[in-house]
Amino acid sequence: MQYLVNVIDNRSESGTAEEAVAIDAFNEKLVAGRNWVFGAGLADPTASTVIDGRGDEPVFTDGPFVEAKEWAAGFWIIEAPDLDVALKLMAEGSRACNRRLEIRPVLPPPE
């Protein structure tokens, strides 16, 4: 099963050099354990564009989807056999990046 893990922060590009080292080590553990799918940091929400293509013409709006005090500053997509394993892994991820995390199962594609 795959899980999306959002890294929650209220600042952009706020990671320290020590956190970067810890995150790299954690990522290497994910790769070695075959749990790694993908991960990356994200630009500040002000760099986002919201696209609404539901009408006759798409509407593009600069800025974040919602105003919030916290946002996803990065993410991982991981593989784990079940939620318990994913939670245990990402408790280590939270410690490594020194941030709160939100974990959500990725829904399987429709058959």
Side-chain angles (χ1 to χ4, degrees):
M1 175 153 234
Q2 291 186 339
Y3 296 89
L4 170 67
V5 181
N6 287 311
V7 178
I8 301 167
D9 204 343
N10 62 354
R11 303 159 292 157
S12 294
E13 300 181 36
S14 63
T16 66
E18 294 82 14
E19 290 166 348
V21 169
I23 292 166
D24 286 345
F26 177 69
N27 288 343
E28 289 172 10
K29 178 181 177 168
L30 290 176
V31 170
R34 298 181 176 236
N35 302 107
W36 174 268
V37 176
F38 186 74
L42 296 172
D44 187 84
T46 59
S48 69
T49 303
V50 177
I51 305 162
D52 186 349
R54 295 175 293 176
D56 292 336
E57 294 292 325
V59 177
F60 301 93
T61 307
D62 291 337
F65 167 63
V66 296
E67 294 294 326
K69 293 181 181 185
E70 296 179 312
W71 53 82
F75 67 95
W76 281 282
I77 297 175
I78 64 165
E79 292 241 5
D82 57 48
L83 182 58
D84 290 338
V85 172
L87 292 172
K88 183 177 178 185
L89 281 170
M90 296 321 295
E92 293 179 46
S94 175
R95 190 174 310 109
C97 70
N98 196 30
R99 307 285 185 286
R100 293 183 311 125
L101 303 178
E102 174 202 36
I103 187 166
R104 296 171 66 184
V106 174
L107 297 175
E111 294 184 20

